[in-house]
Amino acid sequence: GSSNASCDGACASGHVCPPGSTASKSQSCPKGTFRGQRGGESLSDCHSCPPGRYGDAEGATAARCTGACAAGFYCIAGSTTRNAAMCPSGRFGAGGSSNASCSAPCPAGHICGFGTTHLNGTAPPRPCRVGTYRDQVGGENPETDCTFCPPGRYGTAEGLTSSAGCRTCPSASACSNGVKLRCSKPEGTM
């Protein structure tokens, strides 16, 4: 028997041909794997797509497989979809991430839920709301990880990275939970 239909002794890239097989009995390397060289004889000759990449089709012939993992997700070796696993909260993934560390921790002044992408992505880190700040990376929850401006101070912008960004409350106002409130004059006064 020949090792493939062309009788040249080498099975095509992306496939394996058990000894004695013909082209009709050759096997494609499965999804999540590739074979860059000719001559594979068993599925163990197929290699896993590398971390950060995925293979959603059979018969891949190069380590790039189908492509890079999607932003907000990571792909371990042998992944078959671009959104194999969501980046954990407190981290973000810019695309092509290979493990749960994803690309980096969430930047200071921001919160990253599950599946957060880079700043210009479809699910960017959310800034801490006005009146709060976050001075550390890795924020996950806006209720617990963003800190109110100190008493007597207020915030005017989202995404503050320190209490230094909070302003002192003017004398005719009151500040509560990082927000400036206007004081109204009591009735009967001018």
Side-chain angles (χ1 to χ4, degrees):
S2 67
S3 60
N4 72 10
S6 66
C7 297
D8 67 2
C11 193
S13 299
H15 295 80
V16 294
C17 302
S21 67
T22 64
S24 64
K25 292 187 179 178
S26 72
Q27 290 181 282
S28 297
C29 286
K31 293 179 181 182
T33 68
F34 73 97
R35 173 129 183 103
Q37 299 86 25
R38 298 170 59 88
E41 293 185 356
S42 72
L43 291 179
S44 65
D45 292 329
C46 299
H47 306 286
S48 293
C49 292
R53 304 201 68 81
Y54 72 99
D56 66 359
E58 295 179 351
T61 59
R64 68 178 176 272
C65 293
T66 303
C69 217
F73 296 86
Y74 66 95
C75 297
I76 61 170
S79 291
T80 59
T81 63
R82 65 187 311 255
N83 54 356
M86 214 178 269
C87 290
S89 60
R91 304 201 63 86
F92 72 92
S97 297
S98 61
N99 59 49
S101 293
C102 289
S103 298
C106 196
H110 292 77
I111 299 299
C112 294
F114 288 103
T116 299
T117 61
H118 51 85
L119 289 171
N120 297 323
T122 55
R126 294 180 319 222
C128 288
R129 66 179 181 263
V130 172
T132 65
Y133 67 95
R134 176 151 179 88
D135 58 4
Q136 298 175 11
V137 298
E140 300 177 35
N141 183 329
E143 302 304 319
T144 58
D145 292 344
C146 295
T147 305
F148 285 113
C149 288
R153 300 179 66 82
Y154 69 100
T156 60
E158 294 180 326
L160 295 180
T161 58
S162 75
S163 62
C166 300
R167 297 184 177 173
T168 301
C169 218
S171 59
S173 300
C175 291
S176 175
N177 289 337
V179 178
K180 181 173 72 168
L181 309 169
R182 291 212 178 266
C183 291
S184 57
K185 293 183 179 179
E187 278 189 43
T189 62
M190 296 210 167

